[in-house]
Amino acid sequence: MFPPGGAGSRRDPAQVWLPGTDAHETVAHGEHRWEVPDPLPTSPEPQTPVTVRDVLDEPATWSAVAAAVVRTGVAPGGEVEVACRLAAHLDAPATGLARALAAQEFLPGASASQHEVDATFTSLPD
């Protein structure tokens, strides 16, 4: 709480630093809006994912992985089923994605799914 007219009141200006700049803006009370470029631009081609979360965040990679898992029968419910089953593994290494979905010994299609997912990762640029 600031006393009327004291530090932090509506009369005192504030300094705002915008991402990607060294300078600051001095503003007074009111609404302010800035548009700045995204400091992490998207890559034009898929990158090799590190975590399962990275796989879901890269549309082309995610589509290929989800299609492989559905095609091999590991997730007959489709892409939504694949995503739901991976929710507990988002920070796990991407290389363990197929095993996170199905232990090879217990689920028909798990081995084929593992091979297809591995092939998807192998085809990505470094």
Side-chain angles (χ1 to χ4, degrees):
M1 191 78 151
F2 297 103
S9 74
R10 292 182 178 192
R11 296 182 197 148
D12 288 341
Q15 294 181 347
V16 178
W17 278 265
L18 301 175
T21 67
D22 292 331
H24 67 272
E25 298 282 334
T26 301
V27 297
H29 176 72
E31 184 175 314
H32 307 280
R33 181 179 299 232
W34 294 271
E35 289 188 28
V36 296
D38 187 344
L40 300 172
T42 57
S43 174
E45 58 185 52
Q47 301 296 310
T48 302
V50 175
T51 65
V52 170
R53 184 185 314 273
D54 295 337
V55 173
L56 274 76
D57 286 344
E58 175 53 56
T61 304
W62 169 245
S63 293
V65 167
V69 175
V70 171
R71 185 173 42 256
T72 56
V74 170
E79 186 175 329
V80 172
E81 180 183 351
V82 178
C84 288
R85 290 171 57 186
L86 289 174
H89 305 279
L90 294 178
D91 294 320
T95 54
L97 183 144
R99 286 179 194 87
L101 289 167
Q104 291 186 0
E105 312 85 57
F106 302 113
L107 190 61
S111 181
S113 177
Q114 177 68 50
H115 292 297
E116 287 200 35
V117 169
D118 287 347
T120 299
F121 292 147
T122 302
S123 68
L124 294 173
D126 289 330

